[in-house]
Amino acid sequence: MPSGLINSALRRIRYILVLLIVAGLAYSALYTKQGVHTVFTLLDITDEDNPGDITPDDPPVEFSANLEVVRTVPLPGNVLQPSGISWSADGSSLLIATDQAELFSLDGLTFEQSSEVKVKNAPLLFRQGQIETVAYVDGYALLAGGYDEIDVWYNSGSGWARTASISLTQPAMSLEGDVTAIASDPETGRLYLADESTSLHVLDRFGAFQQRVEITTEDRPGRLLSEMELVGMEFVDGMLVGVAEYFNTVLLIDPVSGAITEAFRLESISKPSGIAMNGSE
């Protein structure tokens, strides 16, 4: 075979190999957890909301008491970067949302995985950080985060599917940043949303905006409540139970006045990403 033809064939082979390598790298960057982590590292993308070095024992509110860990439950190995957690009303199922916009359902007794679904139809790179919280309300999964609506999902027995949405751009409703926590009052059906401010946004059982309630407390000297950000909430016995990430703090909040009535320090826990109540746990 003439050398010209051989060189031409080799160039084509090299060209194909380069295309395959580029395609492989692109797929890894878009669709794999390791690839996404590498991209974020190379671009030096960090958590913009992270306030830096914070002493967990020194929150802007006074602690009422300490809460101790009584049980630790390992999650399935494929549940990475949980961003929200919520029990079903009967305690038979546990929902976990992740930063990769995934929704996992676990058995409430064994904690074994029963289902998994992607809640955003996009490559992993563009799903990262889109879901901040999940709430299990009357059999529906409410998911919210960095977009202008709450996704409503339902499992009819054949798997979770998106059935509706609740707009977060309603008149007079002004969110600051992402929705970071959702809780539902089982008596009235009202939804309480927390964002990246010190406000609660109240919706009626049909998802219509009702009012904004300011969270208040007696700040410690030289400190501000705005230093704290709720990353999870539950409604228990007429009170909102919220958890603040950077100070490892559980807060009891009056849903009517917004007043913080008690604050508890979480021992042996660092940067919680949600809270779920099941009976006394």
Side-chain angles (χ1 to χ4, degrees):
M1 180 181 293
S3 60
L5 292 177
I6 294 175
N7 290 334
S8 178
L10 290 175
R11 283 195 297 271
R12 288 193 180 93
I13 291 173
R14 286 196 293 268
Y15 179 71
I16 292 172
L17 288 175
V18 169
L19 287 179
L20 289 174
I21 291 172
V22 171
L25 291 174
Y27 180 88
S28 175
L30 290 172
Y31 291 96
T32 69
K33 291 180 172 64
Q34 183 59 48
V36 170
H37 175 74
T38 300
V39 170
F40 277 41
T41 300
L42 291 175
L43 296 179
D44 193 26
I45 297 177
T46 57
D47 184 358
E48 295 178 355
D49 297 325
N50 191 329
D53 294 331
I54 282 182
T55 304
D57 296 332
D58 187 32
V61 295
E62 295 288 351
F63 285 129
S64 308
N66 294 341
L67 296 179
E68 297 181 0
V69 175
V70 296
R71 181 168 61 139
T72 300
V73 177
L75 297 177
N78 58 331
V79 179
L80 302 176
Q81 293 181 285
S83 58
I85 185 171
S86 186
W87 283 98
S88 61
D90 61 3
S92 64
S93 181
L94 183 67
L95 291 181
I96 297 178
T98 73
D99 273 342
Q100 287 84 35
E102 301 161 324
L103 178 65
F104 292 88
S105 181
L106 309 185
D107 183 275
L109 182 61
T110 65
F111 298 100
E112 293 181 355
Q113 179 180 324
S114 56
S115 69
E116 172 188 358
V117 64
K118 294 181 178 65
V119 298
K120 290 294 178 182
N121 187 22
L124 176 59
L125 179 64
F126 303 114
R127 300 199 316 265
Q128 184 74 28
Q130 290 298 298
I131 301 297
E132 297 290 346
T133 187
V134 61
Y136 215 152
V137 181
D138 295 332
Y140 292 87
L142 308 185
L143 295 125
Y147 46 101
D148 294 333
E149 61 185 12
I150 297 173
D151 280 343
V152 181
W153 287 65
Y154 184 72
N155 189 345
S156 61
S158 57
W160 289 94
R162 186 177 183 272
T163 61
S165 65
I166 299 172
S167 173
L168 297 177
T169 58
Q170 301 176 44
M173 187 177 186
S174 179
L175 293 172
E176 295 186 27
D178 297 344
V179 173
T180 59
I182 302 175
S184 173
D185 181 346
E187 297 296 327
T188 65
R190 287 192 182 118
L191 294 178
Y192 293 81
L193 314 181
D195 61 10
E196 297 176 27
S197 70
T198 57
S199 299
L200 298 173
H201 306 267
V202 186
L203 312 183
D204 67 17
R205 64 185 308 117
F206 304 106
F209 176 68
Q210 297 287 290
Q211 62 180 323
R212 179 169 175 154
V213 177
E214 291 297 323
I215 302 175
T216 61
T217 187
E218 293 185 6
D219 299 331
R220 296 173 58 195
R223 307 297 297 277
L224 296 173
L225 185 60
S226 58
E227 296 175 47
M228 308 184 80
E229 180 180 308
L230 295 178
V231 293
M233 286 194 304
E234 282 277 9
F235 204 98
V236 181
D237 296 332
M239 296 290 287
L240 285 167
V241 182
V243 62
E245 177 181 18
Y246 295 113
F247 292 100
N248 307 331
T249 304
V250 171
L251 305 172
L252 289 187
I253 305 170
D254 186 318
V256 177
S257 67
I260 295 175
T261 60
E262 290 188 87
F264 302 92
R265 176 177 176 264
L266 290 170
E267 294 189 336
S268 306
I269 293 179
S270 176
K271 292 187 66 176
S273 58
I275 186 170
M277 303 289 290
N278 183 29
S280 61
E281 294 186 320

